Amino acid sequence: MLLIPCPFCGDRDETEFAYGGDAGIERPADPGTATDEAWTDYLCFHDNPKGPHRELWFHRDGCRRWLTVERDTYTHELRTARLSRP
Amino acid sequence: MKRQPFRTAEGGHLIDRSEPLRFDFDGHRHEGYRGDSLASGLLAAGVRIVARSFKYHRPRGVWGFGPEEPNAMVATGVREEVRPNLKATEVPLSDGLKASGQNAWPSVSWDLGSAFGLAGDILPAGFYYKTFMWPARWWHGLYEPVLRRMAGFGPAPAAPDDAFYAKRRIYADVLVAGGGPAGVAAALAAARAGARVVLADENIRFGGDLLRAPGEIEEGDGLAWIDTAIGELAAMPHVRLLPRATVTGYYDHNLLLVAERAGEEAPPGTPQTRLWFVRAREVAIAAGAHERPLLFAGNDRPGVMSASAAGGYAHAYGVLAGRRAVVAGNNDSIYAVARLLRSAGASIAAVADTRPGGGEAPDLPCRADRAVERALGSRRVRGVLLRRADGRTSDRSERVACDLVAVAGGWSPAVHLHAQARGSLRYDEERGLILPDRPGGANRSAGAAAGRFDLDGCLAEGWAAGTAAAASSGHERAAGPPPRSPDRSAGEAPVFWQIGAGKRFVDLQYDVTAADVELAAREGYRSVEHVKRYTALGMGTDQGKTSGMAGLVLLSEALGRPVARTGTTTFRPPYTPVPMAAMAAGLLGEGRDALRRTAADDWHEARGAVFTAAGHWRRPGYYPREGMNEDEAIEAEVRETRAGVGIVDVGTLGKVDIQGTDAAAFLDLIYANRISSLRIGRGRYGLMLREDGRVFDDGVVMRLGENHFYLTTTTAQHHAVLQHMEFLLQTVWPELEVYATDVSEHWFAAALAGPGSRLLLGDVAPELEVSDEAFPMMAVRAAAVADLPALVFRMSYSGELSYEIAVPADYGLALWTRLLTAGREHGLTPYGIEAMGVMRIEKGHVTHAEADGRTTPDDLGLGRMVRADARSIGVRSLDLPALRQKGRQQLVGLSVIDPETRIPPGCQVAESGDLQPAPPLGHVTAFCYSPTLGRALALALIENGRARTGQTVHIASPVIGFSAAAEVVSPVFYDPEGKRLHV
Amino acid sequence: MSDDPAEARRSALAGLDLGSRAGGAGGVLLGEGPAREGFVLRGPAGDAAFARAVGAALGAGLPLEPGEALEIGGNALLIRLGPDEWRLIAPLSDDGRLAARLASELAGGRGALVNVSSASTVISVAGEHAADLLATGAGIDLDPAAFPPGRAVRTRIGNAQALIHRRAEDAFELHVPRSYARSFWEWLEERGREFDAAVAL
């Protein structure tokens, strides 16, 4: 079970969090002008790397903040965790 | 006869001779002492056959001293309370203990299954996969019942285990796994440095190898030094000592699982097992090493035993595992064991050293360059044949009579925890050792677990590991110099594995022989993982602690490649078996899982409601009635609500308070329909999409103020909606000033439904104007209802005139009972979610059965609600070709043509009713018998559904041979014009 | 029908009839704490006007340490639960006065105040083994060095989410979501067998 260093609450168990996927995905600023291809890229085509990954975790049972966490998907090493909205 | 014929006259530091205990093994009474293990008690009593082996049912005795024991599998207790699959070496003796050996029928000393042993060669490696294959019809009648009796490990208890099991979560700076000299030194160094320390050891007493053999530390008795150190640690408030506790699992981010067994003197109520979940900054692995067997014919006979264990029984328990011993091995430890056995009263028949240069001990009958070729005897060992260690056949074997063969094959470091943490391993060819290499977490291995076998080296490594672990966790206070011992013998063993032919057992528990491993290699198995599964080597409850290394070497030899290239099987938790009951602690019985109750739950229960689970909630399904079955009771609830007035508990809905200057703008973005145009005091049905355009949730949004809204979610998606809102507010639109607050637990709500609801509301809320004009559809009012502060919202789910009344949940039961009391003269009927479900089907309202994560608003007939603003979540996706194409499944109503037909669960919708294989048009999402319309109705998602209106299709379940013709109609079966909402 | 809403108030644990089971001594005493008023306060911690408004209403500064539970006027608490979230807990006898002051100071500015008085059930866990009992189901570090008296955290414990307020080294108050309260209590009592838990008088 991962130990996630919540910048607000301190170290907490993974079970207090919900996973939110890749943190690098930006919603197109004007969806109306996005091509079908750009929009499906945003919706569906996400990287699933082996190794370092910036991802989102929601501290559901703590401060209820979304965190951006840098985790190695192979070793589970966690490098940083910061509030997605400071 | 003497009660304990093999007990020495004195000695045994673990036992208390002043307290004899009686116990029962396989129906025979025996006696031991307080402090004994079942294994030492049995050995003292002269019981040599303790269990039968798994496959051949060969007689087996005690091999080891602790958790590495492969043979002595026993069950304690009888019938209902039986605890199977215990190792006799780990069962503390207690007065009145009843135990029996396993894998034997009817008993270990007279076992029918041993016929398999005589026919040994018919059960080679992979026999599971080669035999019992056909004829298939023999499975039920013959193979299965026979195999069931023969296989497996002991009986399952017949009654629930009512013992108490516990769990505990703690944090530590340093967890020390293993309380031998290295572990105690590590704990002491770390604790003196100021670190929060947990020291866990599997034995009842700290000391590790010093329990089995004497040693010297700091110019005194080693065990006495350990006791002093433990005393010092026990006095420190930041140290927790866990004896009888095995570190069994090493998980991500230094979370370790420690299984603590109750002591035999534990007061009543003590947990049988307590699982400690320790999150440690640093781990010192001082788990010791396991003594290896040597492979020779008959090496499984009762009386063939690990040399350190044989010495240990004499030293720790004052028990002789035999009176006349042959000590055989490939390293110096055999001389110390021989002297230990001799001083305890055994005679030493021979000390056989496989090394050509060994055997220089004038006080002992030494045989250099000699190995045991074969153990003689069948039910117990009666002697050995000794032979030149290189196995040359020209030499004659020497026959030596004995009743104990103490075997020292060297040591395998317990690298399990290191490897579970994904540390890498390396093979030291010269020493024949698999050793920890690069650690996979914040841990350090020390002492025998790291391949250091001399006492001085163990102390030094443990001390260094404890000091470094404390420093890494921020505690750098100097702990002083390490304790010293004059024992600096390297204890190196030249690699020696096997000799001779015949049944040489590698894995004693699963009866895997050297020939089986060789056969697997001949049959083409190369991967050690495959050989493990094919031969079952290392798959027993001992997980190959004694066998793994020998199997690896044999396989490498058979394949003609270096051991390092063969590699090891993966080390996975648990290191030793953990009782399922301990894992289930806190998850059984009352409170096993959250059960959510609404504020009116006590009333429902008193009224005898039959509850239905909705996630963690329980909701009244229906209220049983005298003289009616379930269906009739539900139909009565529907009829009475539609004709008069009903009340339903809707306290489970999610409720969210939204405030902030951007609240209205935000709601426009998360709903597919416009919210910002709502006037204060009015509400609107809101449809929420996922970003991919599928329907996510629905509910009602009410505007309480310019920048203040209150909205409901479905019961199921309440948490998901809140998480979704926070996601958008924190990561997508952080510039918005909006606060979404969960108020689901604060509000209780009940709905009054039916043409009589207005009159009743008027009665209980005298200050509220309830006329259709003053309180129109979709309006919200704050008012006193039944003298309670309430929010009243006029909306409808049932299709009737209806009001939802919300009060703070502390007043929920009062609201409910006061409404019921006031409603008596109105004929108020409480109804449950079954009746609610019938009414929603009659009205064609969607739930998660229809909004199933695949359907779009248009699929559900809600396309008109979506406004064309692509910025709103999910709306852009509705333009994607896949979501617009023809042939999508659409929501329709199905009206069954024959009014007598009832629809079973799990039906498809098919073009034809012939039940022949064909792609279905879709499936039924909900069905009921409608008491209002007098026939069965269904909602269904079918291909091009709306275009089929008026056609006949078939509701079909090929599985049960059901088919019924139905007409495709609008999903709104009842009152499509909505007149009932305005009566 | 009664005219006084207070008489209509009912605890989520009422069905357990704890009063009739109270008594005895054990390693842990479990009890239902007095019902409280509770308000969620939201707002930007760094916004001077917001902080001023809170200060003016409560006569105390905004607690800024995570988990800081600031005492207000001797019987109310303001707890920092998140970067923009606080919980105001006041005795029922306050009758909404603190909250009303806060609401009026906040009016027109940033932030939000939401009444959640019925949302939680208060359960007290006290005694020599209080922390040990919580450690049977909570993942946080309960060592007083890591979680000192006067702090409060939101976390998971047993089968529920809870706000745990450490009043003293061996005394905790748990604010458990109302709908979970009864099954959480049952979980707590069942796990409490290890410590001879008794119901507090």
Side-chain angles (χ1 to χ4, degrees):
Chain A
M1 181 168 41
L2 306 183
L3 189 66
I4 298 177
C6 173
F8 185 84
C9 303
D11 291 349
R12 294 291 182 94
D13 285 345
E14 179 187 344
T15 47
E16 294 198 355
F17 296 81
Y19 183 63
D22 194 335
I25 295 167
E26 271 202 40
R27 187 171 202 258
D30 184 1
T33 60
T35 62
D36 282 354
E37 197 180 357
W39 188 253
T40 39
D41 271 353
Y42 155 68
L43 277 183
C44 309
F45 294 97
H46 306 164
D47 290 338
N48 182 22
K50 175 182 177 182
H53 189 225
R54 273 181 66 238
E55 57 197 21
L56 295 167
W57 289 82
F58 178 54
H59 197 181
R60 184 192 53 222
D61 294 325
C63 59
R64 300 191 60 79
R65 294 294 98 182
W66 280 92
L67 313 182
T68 302
V69 175
E70 211 182 317
R71 179 179 65 108
D72 188 306
T73 59
Y74 182 63
T75 63
H76 283 331
E77 190 192 340
L78 284 185
R79 290 204 186 85
T80 58
R82 56 174 183 77
L83 298 178
S84 297
R85 181 171 79 168
Chain B
M1 197 179 93
K2 223 177 119 195
R3 281 248 178 78
Q4 302 186 39
F6 287 83
R7 186 77 69 178
T8 59
E10 54 188 36
H13 60 81
L14 286 182
I15 56 164
D16 178 357
R17 289 174 190 257
S18 70
E19 203 177 334
L21 306 172
R22 289 175 196 285
F23 68 103
D24 182 300
F25 186 76
D26 271 345
H28 296 279
R29 299 202 64 182
H30 302 287
E31 190 192 271
Y33 292 124
R34 174 77 61 204
D36 263 324
S37 69
L38 177 58
S40 65
L42 288 169
L43 289 170
V47 176
R48 289 295 177 263
I49 303 177
V50 176
R52 288 274 173 170
S53 70
F54 175 64
K55 192 161 99 180
Y56 299 126
H57 286 241
R58 287 165 70 102
R60 292 285 164 80
V62 176
W63 155 269
F65 194 78
E68 77 285 3
E69 174 63 43
N71 270 345
M73 303 296 296
V74 299
T76 63
V78 286
R79 295 179 59 80
E80 283 78 13
E81 289 162 1
V82 70
R83 290 179 194 281
N85 299 330
L86 304 173
K87 295 166 182 134
T89 52
E90 291 190 307
V91 176
L93 210 58
S94 58
D95 205 36
L97 177 74
K98 285 192 185 348
S100 54
Q102 278 186 193
N103 288 333
W105 176 58
S107 79
V108 291
S109 55
W110 188 70
D111 174 36
L112 289 175
S114 59
F116 277 122
L118 302 177
D121 290 342
I122 67 164
L123 296 175
F127 84 107
Y128 317 101
Y129 310 117
K130 293 170 177 163
T131 325
F132 311 121
M133 298 286 284
W134 49 78
R137 71 193 144 78
W138 283 18
W139 257 106
H140 287 298
L142 182 63
Y143 294 151
E144 195 181 349
V146 171
L147 286 177
R148 272 188 193 281
R149 186 173 283 287
M150 304 297 303
F153 283 100
D161 181 356
D162 59 5
F164 189 77
Y165 293 85
K167 286 176 180 159
R168 189 86 64 88
R169 178 58 185 273
I170 50 171
Y171 285 71
D173 291 321
V174 183
L175 170 68
V176 182
V184 172
L188 198 57
R192 282 185 185 167
R196 228 187 329 169
V197 172
V198 174
L199 171 61
D201 185 84
E202 62 203 8
N203 289 302
I204 56 171
R205 182 175 178 184
F206 292 96
D209 201 45
L210 290 171
L211 299 179
R212 290 185 287 195
E216 187 186 327
I217 301 176
E218 296 287 69
E219 297 174 5
D221 176 56
L223 208 48
W225 181 87
I226 295 273
D227 287 347
T228 306
I230 293 298
E232 181 181 338
L233 289 167
M236 298 182 180
H238 57 293
V239 173
R240 191 186 290 272
L241 297 175
L242 298 176
R244 302 181 311 278
T246 310
V247 183
T248 67
Y250 195 136
Y251 302 91
D252 285 318
H253 295 180
N254 272 20
L255 180 70
L256 290 100
L257 179 62
V258 184
E260 179 194 11
R261 308 182 306 279
E264 82 279 16
E265 290 172 81
T270 304
Q272 185 76 24
T273 302
R274 186 189 280 121
L275 295 184
W276 296 83
F277 297 80
V278 186
R279 190 73 85 164
R281 287 183 197 281
E282 297 284 332
V283 179
I285 300 171
H290 299 124
E291 191 159 45
R292 297 169 178 166
L294 292 173
L295 310 190
F296 51 83
N299 64 344
D300 66 323
R301 292 299 178 203
V304 178
M305 183 184 275
S306 145
S308 65
Y313 285 109
H315 185 62
Y317 297 108
V319 169
L320 289 175
R323 299 195 196 284
R324 185 175 160 82
V326 168
V327 186
N330 59 10
N331 62 77
D332 285 342
S333 71
I334 51 179
Y335 302 101
V337 167
R339 289 186 189 112
L340 197 54
L341 292 173
R342 187 177 60 191
S343 70
S347 69
I348 305 301
V351 181
D353 192 328
T354 61
R355 298 169 298 182
E360 287 177 29
D363 58 323
L364 292 166
C366 293
R367 308 283 197 284
D369 192 20
R370 287 292 182 281
V372 175
E373 178 193 20
R374 171 179 293 274
L376 306 170
S378 61
R379 289 167 57 81
R380 57 188 298 169
V381 70
R382 305 211 174 273
V384 294
L385 295 182
L386 295 181
R387 178 177 196 178
R388 263 186 66 163
D390 62 11
R392 287 230 314 258
T393 50
S394 56
D395 275 11
R396 268 192 47 204
S397 300
E398 178 192 2
R399 186 185 181 105
V400 181
C402 64
D403 62 351
L404 171 66
V405 184
V407 180
W411 297 86
S412 292
V415 298
H416 304 64
L417 294 174
H418 167 88
Q420 284 178 21
R422 297 203 259 187
S424 62
L425 299 169
R426 69 184 173 88
Y427 183 63
D428 182 332
E429 190 98 30
E430 202 172 318
R431 302 172 70 204
L433 297 178
I434 290 175
L435 295 171
D437 196 11
R438 183 189 47 74
N443 67 63
R444 298 167 172 77
S445 293
R452 189 74 188 250
F453 299 126
D454 62 302
L455 190 47
D456 193 55
C458 285
L459 292 165
E461 281 196 358
W463 195 263
T467 305
S472 296
S473 60
H475 302 276
E476 308 219 25
R477 203 183 309 151
R484 300 301 305 265
S485 168
D487 170 14
R488 284 155 213 169
S489 60
E492 307 295 314
V495 183
F496 177 91
W497 301 103
Q498 62 162 330
I499 184 172
K503 262 199 173 13
R504 293 150 296 149
F505 283 89
V506 184
D507 186 322
L508 290 164
Q509 191 171 92
Y510 265 18
D511 274 351
V512 181
T513 66
D516 289 327
V517 177
E518 287 153 6
L519 176 66
R522 278 204 306 284
E523 292 185 350
Y525 287 90
R526 293 292 177 274
S527 155
V528 67
E529 296 283 4
H530 293 158
V531 171
K532 169 179 171 174
R533 283 150 184 83
Y534 188 58
T535 61
L537 187 143
M539 287 172 63
T541 57
D542 60 334
Q543 287 284 290
K545 289 182 181 64
T546 54
S547 63
M549 195 59 218
L552 180 54
V553 169
L554 287 181
L555 179 64
S556 300
E557 281 176 4
L559 294 172
R561 70 185 184 197
V563 171
R565 265 195 57 212
T566 300
T568 66
T569 52
T570 306
F571 290 87
R572 293 190 180 89
Y575 169 70
T576 52
V578 177
M580 298 295 280
M583 297 187 206
L587 304 171
L588 295 167
E590 294 299 343
R592 64 193 172 278
D593 198 0
L595 178 66
R596 302 180 69 181
R597 293 168 163 94
T598 73
D601 186 84
D602 286 346
W603 189 93
H604 304 316
E605 184 163 287
R607 177 68 174 67
V610 174
F611 287 98
T612 301
H616 281 147
W617 289 101
R618 67 171 193 180
R619 307 183 68 179
Y622 69 99
Y623 301 90
R625 298 186 183 206
E626 195 75 31
M628 288 191 193
N629 67 23
E630 174 179 348
D631 288 343
E632 290 161 351
I634 294 165
E635 285 161 23
E637 289 176 10
V638 173
R639 269 196 310 271
E640 290 165 18
T641 299
R642 292 224 184 279
V645 55
I647 182 170
V648 63
D649 181 341
V650 291
T652 63
L653 291 180
K655 298 138 205 136
V656 185
D657 178 280
I658 304 276
Q659 295 188 46
T661 47
D662 298 313
F666 175 63
L667 293 174
D668 275 351
L669 288 168
I670 62 165
Y671 284 102
N673 52 320
R674 185 180 293 280
I675 304 298
S676 56
S677 56
L678 262 180
R679 282 178 291 135
I680 293 170
R682 300 302 290 260
R684 182 170 294 167
Y685 176 76
L687 186 65
M688 229 180 255
L689 305 185
R690 300 194 314 217
E691 187 71 302
D692 65 3
R694 274 68 174 190
V695 175
F696 171 39
D697 198 55
D698 65 354
V700 171
V701 190
M702 289 159 245
R703 190 166 204 162
L704 304 178
E706 180 59 27
N707 295 324
H708 190 187
F709 295 81
Y710 171 102
L711 60 89
T712 66
T713 75
T714 59
T715 301
Q717 297 286 51
H718 149 234
H719 289 291
V721 167
L722 280 160
Q723 184 174 323
H724 175 67
M725 288 179 174
E726 291 298 348
F727 176 83
L728 296 171
L729 289 171
Q730 292 177 40
T731 75
V732 182
W733 300 306
E735 68 279 7
L736 296 183
E737 169 94 357
V738 177
Y739 301 100
T741 304
D742 184 5
V743 291
S744 308
E745 295 283 350
H746 177 68
W747 294 101
F748 168 79
L752 294 176
S757 56
R758 181 178 288 126
L759 270 181
L760 173 54
L761 181 63
D763 272 8
V764 292
E767 287 156 26
L768 186 66
E769 288 258 21
V770 295
S771 68
D772 198 31
E773 301 73 41
F775 193 174
M777 186 69 182
M778 301 309 272
V780 58
R781 299 283 182 266
V785 175
D787 292 333
L788 301 166
L791 271 182
V792 187
F793 186 63
R794 182 171 163 197
M795 60 158 291
S796 178
Y797 190 64
S798 58
E800 303 296 335
L801 174 69
S802 175
Y803 302 88
E804 231 170 80
I805 305 163
V807 294
D810 283 346
Y811 302 131
L813 187 66
L815 174 74
W816 183 269
T817 52
R818 289 176 187 185
L819 287 174
L820 262 295
T821 306
R824 226 172 267 152
E825 59 192 82
H826 299 264
L828 181 64
T829 297
Y831 66 93
I833 62 167
E834 296 294 343
M836 188 167 86
V838 169
M839 289 189 274
R840 80 98 183 169
I841 293 172
E842 291 173 340
K843 277 300 285 183
H845 289 313
V846 302
T847 67
H848 292 297
E850 292 79 30
D852 62 359
R854 293 176 292 186
T855 45
T856 65
D858 184 63
D859 297 341
L860 299 177
L862 303 171
R864 285 178 302 110
M865 287 187 66
V866 180
R867 82 202 165 97
D869 184 346
R871 286 176 310 162
S872 298
I873 293 294
V875 171
R876 169 64 184 86
S877 293
L878 299 176
D879 269 342
L880 293 174
L883 274 62
R884 299 170 61 97
Q885 72 190 10
K886 293 246 177 298
R888 289 188 63 83
Q889 295 191 340
Q890 293 171 331
L891 182 68
V892 295
L894 298 178
S895 180
V896 176
I897 288 163
D898 173 9
E900 299 305 312
T901 298
R902 299 290 178 270
I903 303 169
C907 281
Q908 306 278 324
V909 179
E911 211 130 18
S912 140
D914 62 9
L915 297 177
Q916 291 305 303
L921 295 174
H923 66 279
V924 169
T925 60
F927 60 93
C928 69
Y929 171 75
S930 164
T932 315
L933 302 175
R935 63 178 65 240
L937 306 177
L939 295 174
L941 284 166
I942 64 174
E943 212 177 284
N944 294 325
R946 288 195 289 272
R948 294 178 192 271
T949 304
Q951 296 177 9
T952 299
V953 294
H954 296 267
I955 296 174
S957 174
V959 179
I960 59 168
F962 170 86
S963 166
E967 186 190 346
V968 178
V969 296
S970 154
V972 188
F973 298 94
Y974 175 71
D975 185 29
E977 299 84 21
K979 288 181 186 151
R980 307 281 305 169
L981 305 176
H982 299 280
V983 292
Chain C
M1 258 182 249
S2 157
D3 288 324
D4 180 8
E7 286 176 27
R9 193 180 288 279
R10 183 176 162 96
S11 148
L13 300 181
L16 292 172
D17 196 12
L18 296 178
S20 71
R21 295 165 44 203
V28 188
L29 288 176
L30 307 177
E32 181 173 6
R36 310 283 165 79
E37 289 183 345
F39 298 85
V40 173
L41 170 66
R42 303 288 298 273
D47 185 277
F50 173 73
R52 231 183 357 259
V54 175
L58 305 181
L62 206 52
L64 292 177
E65 286 290 312
E68 188 179 346
L70 185 71
E71 284 209 27
I72 295 166
N75 55 8
L77 287 175
L78 186 62
I79 303 167
R80 189 164 194 221
L81 289 179
D84 68 354
E85 181 186 353
W86 292 260
R87 181 75 57 91
L88 174 66
I89 296 172
L92 282 182
S93 58
D94 185 64
D95 208 16
R97 281 187 289 267
L98 267 180
R101 275 213 302 277
L102 194 48
S104 92
E105 291 289 343
L106 288 170
R110 298 173 71 185
L113 188 69
V114 184
N115 190 341
V116 290
S117 297
S118 274
S120 305
T121 300
V122 184
I123 294 172
S124 65
V125 179
E128 187 192 348
H129 288 292
D132 291 336
L133 173 54
L134 300 188
T136 68
I140 56 168
D141 189 350
L142 287 155
D143 190 297
F147 183 15
R151 293 268 153 171
V153 298
R154 186 159 52 196
T155 186
R156 268 209 93 66
I157 172 167
N159 55 21
Q161 189 188 79
L163 171 62
I164 304 179
H165 177 213
R166 188 169 210 159
R167 296 158 61 93
E169 202 153 295
D170 60 356
F172 299 84
E173 226 167 50
L174 277 55
H175 298 251
V176 182
R178 191 183 206 285
S179 69
Y180 288 86
R182 193 156 152 181
S183 88
F184 178 76
W185 175 279
E186 284 161 354
W187 175 84
L188 203 56
E189 261 199 333
E190 198 269 338
R191 289 292 94 190
R193 284 165 60 193
E194 185 181 349
F195 311 102
D196 269 335
V199 177
L201 285 167

